[in-house]
Amino acid sequence: MADQPARVSAREIADFLTALREHRSVPAAAEAASRVDILAWKASLLGRMAANTRDPETRATAAAARADLAAARAELAAARAEGLADSYVLRTGGEH
């Protein structure tokens, strides 16, 4: 039988909610990376919950969390790439 992920504990949920509240006070410069971390944690928790149930709504919610995480990672990567392109323009006077 395949190994099942550990069940999500109430403590893990409480820790996640605490981190989510703290995320609201993250400085704007670090907000995007912090958002990805929060979404990764959320996707992990929901994925573990979905793995332990046959409920389609729970599984759909976990899939939506994974999609949100993928979108946030893509946005962060795009922002970093744009920042690198801008720094190239500033250093070399070139265009991007």
Side-chain angles (χ1 to χ4, degrees), residues 49-62:
M49 288 177 193
N52 289 307
T53 186
R54 292 185 181 173
D55 177 50
E57 189 171 335
T58 301
R59 290 178 176 235
T61 301

Side-chain angles (χ1 to χ4, degrees), residues 6-67:
R7 292 180 83 70
V8 175
S9 70
R11 182 76 205 156
E12 288 177 285
I13 294 170
D15 290 346
F16 172 74
L17 293 174
T18 298
L20 186 59
R21 277 191 300 277
E22 291 170 359
H23 168 75
R24 292 183 178 144
S25 63
V26 170
E31 196 273 332
S34 176
R35 181 172 177 260
V36 168
D37 292 342
I38 289 291
L39 289 173
W41 193 353
K42 176 184 174 182
S44 173
L45 290 173
L46 290 172
R48 287 172 40 212
M49 288 177 193
N52 289 307
T53 186
R54 292 185 181 173
D55 177 50
E57 189 171 335
T58 301
R59 290 178 176 235
T61 301
R66 288 189 299 273

